[in-house]
mmCIF file with all atom_site columns, all heavy atoms in Angstrom:
data_model
loop_
_atom_site.group_PDB
_atom_site.id
_atom_site.type_symbol
_atom_site.label_atom_id
_atom_site.label_alt_id
_atom_site.label_comp_id
_atom_site.label_asym_id
_atom_site.label_entity_id
_atom_site.label_seq_id
_atom_site.pdbx_PDB_ins_code
_atom_site.Cartn_x
_atom_site.Cartn_y
_atom_site.Cartn_z
_atom_site.occupancy
_atom_site.B_iso_or_equiv
_atom_site.pdbx_formal_charge
_atom_site.auth_seq_id
_atom_site.auth_comp_id
_atom_site.auth_asym_id
_atom_site.auth_atom_id
_atom_site.pdbx_PDB_model_num
ATOM 1   N N   . VAL K 1 217 ? -10.519 -4.725  -10.503 1.00 97.00 ? 249 VAL K N   1
ATOM 2   C CA  . VAL K 1 217 ? -9.369  -5.620  -10.365 1.00 97.00 ? 249 VAL K CA  1
ATOM 3   C C   . VAL K 1 217 ? -8.561  -5.645  -11.654 1.00 97.00 ? 249 VAL K C   1
ATOM 4   O O   . VAL K 1 217 ? -9.124  -5.686  -12.751 1.00 97.00 ? 249 VAL K O   1
ATOM 5   C CB  . VAL K 1 217 ? -9.831  -7.065  -10.032 1.00 97.00 ? 249 VAL K CB  1
ATOM 6   C CG1 . VAL K 1 217 ? -8.672  -8.047  -10.144 1.00 97.00 ? 249 VAL K CG1 1
ATOM 7   C CG2 . VAL K 1 217 ? -10.420 -7.125  -8.637  1.00 97.00 ? 249 VAL K CG2 1
ATOM 8   N N   . PHE K 1 218 ? -7.235  -5.609  -11.501 1.00 96.00 ? 250 PHE K N   1
ATOM 9   C CA  . PHE K 1 218 ? -6.318  -5.911  -12.586 1.00 96.00 ? 250 PHE K CA  1
ATOM 10  C C   . PHE K 1 218 ? -5.653  -7.248  -12.273 1.00 96.00 ? 250 PHE K C   1
ATOM 11  O O   . PHE K 1 218 ? -5.137  -7.437  -11.172 1.00 96.00 ? 250 PHE K O   1
ATOM 12  C CB  . PHE K 1 218 ? -5.230  -4.848  -12.736 1.00 96.00 ? 250 PHE K CB  1
ATOM 13  C CG  . PHE K 1 218 ? -5.722  -3.526  -13.253 1.00 96.00 ? 250 PHE K CG  1
ATOM 14  C CD1 . PHE K 1 218 ? -5.844  -2.438  -12.404 1.00 96.00 ? 250 PHE K CD1 1
ATOM 15  C CD2 . PHE K 1 218 ? -6.058  -3.362  -14.588 1.00 96.00 ? 250 PHE K CD2 1
ATOM 16  C CE1 . PHE K 1 218 ? -6.295  -1.211  -12.876 1.00 96.00 ? 250 PHE K CE1 1
ATOM 17  C CE2 . PHE K 1 218 ? -6.510  -2.148  -15.076 1.00 96.00 ? 250 PHE K CE2 1
ATOM 18  C CZ  . PHE K 1 218 ? -6.629  -1.062  -14.216 1.00 96.00 ? 250 PHE K CZ  1
ATOM 19  N N   . VAL K 1 219 ? -5.664  -8.156  -13.233 1.00 94.00 ? 251 VAL K N   1
ATOM 20  C CA  . VAL K 1 219 ? -4.976  -9.432  -13.089 1.00 94.00 ? 251 VAL K CA  1
ATOM 21  C C   . VAL K 1 219 ? -3.711  -9.369  -13.944 1.00 94.00 ? 251 VAL K C   1
ATOM 22  O O   . VAL K 1 219 ? -3.782  -9.156  -15.156 1.00 94.00 ? 251 VAL K O   1
ATOM 23  C CB  . VAL K 1 219 ? -5.848  -10.616 -13.554 1.00 94.00 ? 251 VAL K CB  1
ATOM 24  C CG1 . VAL K 1 219 ? -5.130  -11.936 -13.288 1.00 94.00 ? 251 VAL K CG1 1
ATOM 25  C CG2 . VAL K 1 219 ? -7.205  -10.580 -12.850 1.00 94.00 ? 251 VAL K CG2 1
ATOM 26  N N   . LEU K 1 220 ? -2.557  -9.530  -13.307 1.00 94.00 ? 252 LEU K N   1
ATOM 27  C CA  . LEU K 1 220 ? -1.283  -9.475  -14.014 1.00 94.00 ? 252 LEU K CA  1
ATOM 28  C C   . LEU K 1 220 ? -0.730  -10.874 -14.241 1.00 94.00 ? 252 LEU K C   1
ATOM 29  O O   . LEU K 1 220 ? -0.935  -11.778 -13.432 1.00 94.00 ? 252 LEU K O   1
ATOM 30  C CB  . LEU K 1 220 ? -0.263  -8.649  -13.234 1.00 94.00 ? 252 LEU K CB  1
ATOM 31  C CG  . LEU K 1 220 ? -0.604  -7.198  -12.901 1.00 94.00 ? 252 LEU K CG  1
ATOM 32  C CD1 . LEU K 1 220 ? 0.594   -6.506  -12.260 1.00 94.00 ? 252 LEU K CD1 1
ATOM 33  C CD2 . LEU K 1 220 ? -1.078  -6.435  -14.119 1.00 94.00 ? 252 LEU K CD2 1
ATOM 34  N N   . ASP K 1 221 ? -0.007  -11.026 -15.322 1.00 92.00 ? 253 ASP K N   1
ATOM 35  C CA  . ASP K 1 221 ? 0.726   -12.261 -15.593 1.00 92.00 ? 253 ASP K CA  1
ATOM 36  C C   . ASP K 1 221 ? 1.913   -11.896 -16.473 1.00 92.00 ? 253 ASP K C   1
ATOM 37  O O   . ASP K 1 221 ? 1.741   -11.276 -17.535 1.00 92.00 ? 253 ASP K O   1
ATOM 38  C CB  . ASP K 1 221 ? -0.168  -13.285 -16.294 1.00 92.00 ? 253 ASP K CB  1
ATOM 39  C CG  . ASP K 1 221 ? 0.485   -14.656 -16.378 1.00 92.00 ? 253 ASP K CG  1
ATOM 40  O OD1 . ASP K 1 221 ? 1.342   -14.957 -15.521 1.00 92.00 ? 253 ASP K OD1 1
ATOM 41  O OD2 . ASP K 1 221 ? 0.154   -15.419 -17.301 1.00 92.00 ? 253 ASP K OD2 1
ATOM 42  N N   . SER K 1 222 ? 3.109   -12.237 -16.032 1.00 90.00 ? 254 SER K N   1
ATOM 43  C CA  . SER K 1 222 ? 4.345   -11.931 -16.765 1.00 90.00 ? 254 SER K CA  1
ATOM 44  C C   . SER K 1 222 ? 4.457   -10.457 -17.098 1.00 90.00 ? 254 SER K C   1
ATOM 45  O O   . SER K 1 222 ? 4.908   -10.075 -18.180 1.00 90.00 ? 254 SER K O   1
ATOM 46  C CB  . SER K 1 222 ? 4.412   -12.763 -18.054 1.00 90.00 ? 254 SER K CB  1
ATOM 47  O OG  . SER K 1 222 ? 4.388   -14.143 -17.760 1.00 90.00 ? 254 SER K OG  1
ATOM 48  N N   . GLY K 1 223 ? 4.054   -9.609  -16.149 1.00 93.00 ? 255 GLY K N   1
ATOM 49  C CA  . GLY K 1 223 ? 4.214   -8.177  -16.311 1.00 93.00 ? 255 GLY K CA  1
ATOM 50  C C   . GLY K 1 223 ? 3.200   -7.506  -17.203 1.00 93.00 ? 255 GLY K C   1
ATOM 51  O O   . GLY K 1 223 ? 3.315   -6.317  -17.503 1.00 93.00 ? 255 GLY K O   1
ATOM 52  N N   . LYS K 1 224 ? 2.172   -8.248  -17.645 1.00 94.00 ? 256 LYS K N   1
ATOM 53  C CA  . LYS K 1 224 ? 1.141   -7.702  -18.519 1.00 94.00 ? 256 LYS K CA  1
ATOM 54  C C   . LYS K 1 224 ? -0.231  -7.876  -17.874 1.00 94.00 ? 256 LYS K C   1
ATOM 55  O O   . LYS K 1 224 ? -0.405  -8.687  -16.966 1.00 94.00 ? 256 LYS K O   1
ATOM 56  C CB  . LYS K 1 224 ? 1.160   -8.400  -19.875 1.00 94.00 ? 256 LYS K CB  1
ATOM 57  C CG  . LYS K 1 224 ? 2.447   -8.218  -20.674 1.00 94.00 ? 256 LYS K CG  1
ATOM 58  C CD  . LYS K 1 224 ? 2.349   -8.946  -22.006 1.00 94.00 ? 256 LYS K CD  1
ATOM 59  C CE  . LYS K 1 224 ? 3.622   -8.761  -22.829 1.00 94.00 ? 256 LYS K CE  1
ATOM 60  N NZ  . LYS K 1 224 ? 3.542   -9.460  -24.142 1.00 94.00 ? 256 LYS K NZ  1
ATOM 61  N N   . VAL K 1 225 ? -1.204  -7.117  -18.384 1.00 94.00 ? 257 VAL K N   1
ATOM 62  C CA  . VAL K 1 225 ? -2.577  -7.273  -17.915 1.00 94.00 ? 257 VAL K CA  1
ATOM 63  C C   . VAL K 1 225 ? -3.200  -8.485  -18.595 1.00 94.00 ? 257 VAL K C   1
ATOM 64  O O   . VAL K 1 225 ? -3.324  -8.522  -19.816 1.00 94.00 ? 257 VAL K O   1
ATOM 65  C CB  . VAL K 1 225 ? -3.417  -6.015  -18.207 1.00 94.00 ? 257 VAL K CB  1
ATOM 66  C CG1 . VAL K 1 225 ? -4.879  -6.255  -17.812 1.00 94.00 ? 257 VAL K CG1 1
ATOM 67  C CG2 . VAL K 1 225 ? -2.873  -4.818  -17.443 1.00 94.00 ? 257 VAL K CG2 1
ATOM 68  N N   . LEU K 1 226 ? -3.565  -9.462  -17.789 1.00 92.00 ? 258 LEU K N   1
ATOM 69  C CA  . LEU K 1 226 ? -4.219  -10.656 -18.310 1.00 92.00 ? 258 LEU K CA  1
ATOM 70  C C   . LEU K 1 226 ? -5.728  -10.444 -18.409 1.00 92.00 ? 258 LEU K C   1
ATOM 71  O O   . LEU K 1 226 ? -6.379  -10.933 -19.336 1.00 92.00 ? 258 LEU K O   1
ATOM 72  C CB  . LEU K 1 226 ? -3.909  -11.847 -17.397 1.00 92.00 ? 258 LEU K CB  1
ATOM 73  C CG  . LEU K 1 226 ? -4.479  -13.203 -17.789 1.00 92.00 ? 258 LEU K CG  1
ATOM 74  C CD1 . LEU K 1 226 ? -3.882  -13.678 -19.113 1.00 92.00 ? 258 LEU K CD1 1
ATOM 75  C CD2 . LEU K 1 226 ? -4.187  -14.225 -16.679 1.00 92.00 ? 258 LEU K CD2 1
ATOM 76  N N   . ALA K 1 227 ? -6.266  -9.707  -17.431 1.00 93.00 ? 259 ALA K N   1
ATOM 77  C CA  . ALA K 1 227 ? -7.703  -9.424  -17.409 1.00 93.00 ? 259 ALA K CA  1
ATOM 78  C C   . ALA K 1 227 ? -7.935  -8.242  -16.480 1.00 93.00 ? 259 ALA K C   1
ATOM 79  O O   . ALA K 1 227 ? -7.102  -7.924  -15.629 1.00 93.00 ? 259 ALA K O   1
ATOM 80  C CB  . ALA K 1 227 ? -8.495  -10.633 -16.933 1.00 93.00 ? 259 ALA K CB  1
ATOM 81  N N   . GLU K 1 228 ? -9.070  -7.606  -16.639 1.00 95.00 ? 260 GLU K N   1
ATOM 82  C CA  . GLU K 1 228 ? -9.448  -6.517  -15.742 1.00 95.00 ? 260 GLU K CA  1
ATOM 83  C C   . GLU K 1 228 ? -10.956 -6.385  -15.730 1.00 95.00 ? 260 GLU K C   1
ATOM 84  O O   . GLU K 1 228 ? -11.659 -6.883  -16.614 1.00 95.00 ? 260 GLU K O   1
ATOM 85  C CB  . GLU K 1 228 ? -8.809  -5.200  -16.169 1.00 95.00 ? 260 GLU K CB  1
ATOM 86  C CG  . GLU K 1 228 ? -9.255  -4.689  -17.529 1.00 95.00 ? 260 GLU K CG  1
ATOM 87  C CD  . GLU K 1 228 ? -8.619  -3.355  -17.870 1.00 95.00 ? 260 GLU K CD  1
ATOM 88  O OE1 . GLU K 1 228 ? -9.100  -2.330  -17.357 1.00 95.00 ? 260 GLU K OE1 1
ATOM 89  O OE2 . GLU K 1 228 ? -7.634  -3.357  -18.632 1.00 95.00 ? 260 GLU K OE2 1
ATOM 90  N N   . GLY K 1 229 ? -11.454 -5.727  -14.688 1.00 96.00 ? 261 GLY K N   1
ATOM 91  C CA  . GLY K 1 229 ? -12.890 -5.519  -14.577 1.00 96.00 ? 261 GLY K CA  1
ATOM 92  C C   . GLY K 1 229 ? -13.335 -5.626  -13.134 1.00 96.00 ? 261 GLY K C   1
ATOM 93  O O   . GLY K 1 229 ? -12.508 -5.684  -12.212 1.00 96.00 ? 261 GLY K O   1
ATOM 94  N N   . LYS K 1 230 ? -14.631 -5.652  -12.912 1.00 96.00 ? 262 LYS K N   1
ATOM 95  C CA  . LYS K 1 230 ? -15.159 -5.873  -11.572 1.00 96.00 ? 262 LYS K CA  1
ATOM 96  C C   . LYS K 1 230 ? -14.753 -7.282  -11.131 1.00 96.00 ? 262 LYS K C   1
ATOM 97  O O   . LYS K 1 230 ? -14.659 -8.188  -11.954 1.00 96.00 ? 262 LYS K O   1
ATOM 98  C CB  . LYS K 1 230 ? -16.670 -5.714  -11.566 1.00 96.00 ? 262 LYS K CB  1
ATOM 99  C CG  . LYS K 1 230 ? -17.122 -4.287  -11.843 1.00 96.00 ? 262 LYS K CG  1
ATOM 100 C CD  . LYS K 1 230 ? -18.637 -4.166  -11.757 1.00 96.00 ? 262 LYS K CD  1
ATOM 101 C CE  . LYS K 1 230 ? -19.065 -2.720  -11.989 1.00 96.00 ? 262 LYS K CE  1
ATOM 102 N NZ  . LYS K 1 230 ? -20.542 -2.554  -11.908 1.00 96.00 ? 262 LYS K NZ  1
#
Side-chain angles (χ1 to χ4, degrees):
V249 169
F250 290 106
V251 184
L252 302 186
D253 190 26
S254 300
K256 297 180 179 180
V257 175
L258 181 64
E260 64 178 281
K262 293 183 178 180

